[in-house]
Amino acid sequence: MENQTTVPYFLLLEFSNNRHLQFLHFFLFFVLYLATVTTNLLIISAVAFDNRLHSPMYFFLTNLALQDMAIVSAIVPKSMINSLLNTRQISYFGCAAQVFLFFCFEASDLSLLTVMAYDRYVAICNPLHYEMVMNWKHCAKIILLVWVTGILYGTLHTSGSFSILFCSNVVNKFFCDVPQLLNLSCSGFNLLEFGIIVASIIAGLGCFTFILVSYAVIFKTVLRIPSEKGRQKALSTCIPHLTVVFMFLLSGCISYLRPSAYTLSYLDIGLTVLYALLPPLFNPIIYSMRNKNIKCVLSQLWRF
């Protein structure tokens, strides 16, 4: 593969040469994928089913569920198929599509979590202006901006990653990811992708800072609520979102701030699963556990 500008295909991580272990990998990923899709579909169904949940907060939550399903759908099925067919190959354009879709939906997730923090800030700190600020017209524009941001971010990362010369085609991960692709570069340093990464860090820190400041003001306002029931009601809509934010950012930092390895490490595999697959599974669970409205609707759907 040396000195080639492109490679016809890439070789993804092979969990094992043993067919029984490959089938086990397929089964585990299938269960994880099915559980993720099911839990997120339940959230979407609950919001669509009950008129009480037709509000901006649940509208954003529905979009978060869609994005989480899209994240796992972009990377898990290919890994499952490879294990089932005893192959490691993914085409050049298939790899580019994975990079684009994964980073597109991850960026959309972070943007949406930032928007949801602002939604809670307006609802709790400026309740009289909530309907004016977060009306459906504004919400539609916000969601459009979130998706455009994700598409732009995915496009930038894809163009940056695939503008390099590849000297190898062995990707040390079960899906195509930017750090592993940069390890395959002949030139070693890619100025365009480096600039995109720096911009991504700045944007991520900006979103995180905005969320922290928003919740600092929110908690300060909540403490002033005279009734304990009022405080609990306000916190019940904030704690799940804050938990999801910290899980998203913490898993991302642990996964991407580690030096990219050239050799297989089970710790790296575990961190990849922690970052890419577990948040989409646990997000709907976290939201439903502390939200009485969602739990009530889900129980009705279960009985139905």
Side-chain angles (χ1 to χ4, degrees):
M1 293 296 175
E2 196 166 349
N3 296 328
Q4 292 186 7
T5 57
T6 61
V7 293
Y9 58 85
F10 291 92
L11 297 176
L12 298 177
L13 175 68
E14 185 179 44
F15 286 91
S16 174
N17 291 320
N18 187 298
R19 285 299 287 159
H20 293 91
L21 292 179
Q22 288 176 346
F23 285 129
L24 177 61
H25 161 248
F26 170 82
F27 175 75
L28 292 176
F29 266 43
F30 175 75
V31 171
L32 184 61
Y33 180 69
L34 186 63
T36 302
V37 172
T38 301
T39 53
N40 282 284
L41 280 177
L42 283 173
I43 291 293
I44 295 171
S45 300
V47 174
F49 180 77
D50 198 295
N51 290 330
R52 293 175 299 175
L53 303 184
H54 292 178
S55 66
M57 182 180 76
Y58 295 107
F59 174 63
F60 295 141
L61 182 57
T62 300
N63 277 271
L64 184 67
L66 287 171
Q67 291 169 0
D68 285 341
M69 284 194 299
I71 289 172
V72 294
S73 297
I75 59 177
V76 174
K78 180 58 179 176
S79 182
M80 291 166 49
I81 292 171
N82 280 3
S83 291
L84 194 62
L85 300 180
N86 191 25
T87 182
R88 300 173 57 190
Q89 289 189 17
I90 182 173
S91 68
Y92 182 90
F93 293 104
C95 187
Q98 277 197 341
V99 171
F100 170 76
L101 292 173
F102 182 74
F103 281 94
C104 170
F105 294 124
E106 286 287 343
S108 298
D109 251 18
L110 181 57
S111 301
L112 189 54
L113 289 172
T114 306
V115 169
M116 292 171 75
Y118 178 71
D119 173 75
R120 291 299 83 206
Y121 164 77
V122 178
I124 295 174
C125 301
N126 296 288
L128 298 178
H129 298 90
Y130 183 76
E131 291 188 4
M132 180 181 68
V133 175
M134 302 302 293
N135 59 58
W136 286 110
K137 184 178 179 181
H138 289 166
C139 289
K141 290 180 179 178
I142 289 171
I143 288 299
L144 179 61
L145 181 61
V146 165
W147 285 102
V148 169
T149 300
I151 292 172
L152 178 62
Y153 185 72
T155 302
L156 288 174
H157 258 306
T158 306
S159 59
S161 301
F162 287 88
S163 64
I164 63 178
L165 306 180
F166 294 111
C167 289
S168 173
N169 67 343
V170 180
V171 179
N172 190 33
K173 217 166 192 176
F174 65 86
F175 68 96
C176 289
D177 200 5
V178 170
Q180 279 66 36
L181 290 174
L182 294 181
N183 279 342
L184 309 180
S185 171
C186 296
S187 57
F189 181 79
N190 182 268
L191 184 60
L192 175 60
E193 184 61 24
F194 178 76
I196 296 171
I197 292 173
V198 171
S200 302
I201 293 173
I202 294 173
L205 288 174
C207 290
F208 183 59
T209 302
F210 180 86
I211 293 171
L212 283 182
V213 172
S214 298
Y215 273 100
V217 178
I218 287 171
F219 287 135
K220 185 178 179 181
T221 304
V222 169
L223 292 175
R224 294 176 182 172
I225 298 176
S227 67
E228 183 177 350
K229 186 177 180 180
R231 290 195 295 270
Q232 290 179 349
K233 183 178 179 181
L235 289 175
S236 68
T237 63
C238 296
I239 297 300
H241 177 253
L242 203 55
T243 304
V244 168
V245 169
F246 275 105
M247 184 172 66
F248 178 87
L249 293 175
L250 182 62
S251 61
C253 289
I254 292 175
S255 180
Y256 283 106
L257 291 183
R258 279 173 50 84
S260 183
Y262 289 89
T263 57
L264 172 63
S265 167
Y266 289 107
L267 177 60
D268 292 328
I269 296 174
L271 291 176
T272 302
V273 172
L274 173 69
Y275 169 64
L277 304 186
L278 293 188
L281 172 62
F282 285 110
N283 286 353
I285 297 174
I286 291 170
Y287 274 107
S288 60
M289 282 177 60
R290 291 189 58 90
N291 192 298
K292 292 181 180 179
N293 291 334
I294 290 181
K295 286 193 292 186
C296 179
V297 176
L298 289 177
S299 64
Q300 292 176 2
L301 288 174
W302 179 260
R303 287 196 297 269
F304 179 76

